[in-house]
Amino acid sequence: MPHSTADYYAHPTAILDEGCQIGSGSRIWHFCHICAGADIGEQCNLGQNVFVADGVTLGRNVKVQNNVSLYGGVVCEDDVFLGPSVVFTNVKNPRSAVPRKGAGQYQPTYLEQGVTVGANATIVCGVRLGRYAFVGAGSVVTHDVPAYALVYGTPARPQGWMSAYGHRLAFDATGRATCPESGETYEISPDGNSVRPIAGVNNKLPKISN
């Protein structure tokens, strides 16, 4: 029988260790393994063959596609999207003969609300991806990524800026750009290193989940 409750669904092939936390409305598919110390929020969707280790936290409406392993120290805020076969790490200098497990050894990796990570990308531990950052497929992220930034390559480098709805932004001479889908207006900083939505101007950003 499926591991179904009034709150969530898990396929019968999924392994849910005693003590894991799974939010209402979440769906966990074939051959997933959720460890005891994992905390999965509401309305999440975990595709086939997803591993979630102790110490991983997923917010609300996180979508994890097939063949992703989330190791201790990974935190995803609400509305994060992880494409198929995304790779995470949690130790920067692993050696088989040198134990580097547990508290104080794993480096955190933090994905803020709305981040998208494309298929087969690698996120090296110890980085923070800002709100609505967009990582292209096959990239290797080795440094922090600013909010709304588009990065890709090996290693991943800044390539532009994305709206919260996932459209590339083209800034005019005044330093403003409009998302073609939402109509939300964005402003780039004078130094070109950051982007922010302009409060009160066509404000149709996705709502921040509680």
Side-chain angles (χ1 to χ4, degrees), residues 119-210:
N120 289 300
T122 297
I123 312 297
V124 176
C125 59
V127 301
R128 188 181 187 100
L129 280 62
R131 295 180 74 231
Y132 298 107
F134 199 106
V135 178
S139 300
V140 179
V141 177
T142 58
H143 295 89
D144 292 351
V145 178
Y148 302 101
L150 167 65
V151 299
Y152 54 82
T154 307
R157 293 185 174 88
Q159 307 288 348
W161 303 94
M162 300 285 276
S163 74
Y165 276 69
H167 295 277
R168 194 158 183 172
L169 296 171
F171 291 92
D172 61 21
T174 70
R176 292 192 173 189
T178 300
C179 173
E181 184 174 355
S182 69
E184 176 71 18
T185 301
Y186 295 80
E187 184 175 60
I188 192 166
S189 63
D191 61 9
N193 290 330
S194 63
V195 162
R196 66 179 182 89
I198 301 176
V201 179
N202 300 325
N203 192 354
K204 297 181 181 178
L205 283 172
K207 292 182 180 179
I208 297 175
S209 304
N210 293 324

Side-chain angles (χ1 to χ4, degrees), residues 86-106:
V86 165
V87 175
F88 288 91
T89 68
N90 58 10
V91 175
K92 282 194 174 179
N93 59 339
R95 291 293 195 190
S96 181
V98 182
R100 291 194 173 106
K101 293 179 62 177
Q105 295 292 328
Y106 296 150

Side-chain angles (χ1 to χ4, degrees), residues 29-33 46-51 65-69:
W29 294 102
H30 307 65
F31 313 118
C32 290
H33 182 185
L46 277 59
Q48 180 172 298
N49 195 37
V50 169
F51 171 74
Q65 303 300 298
N66 296 352
N67 305 315
V68 176
S69 291

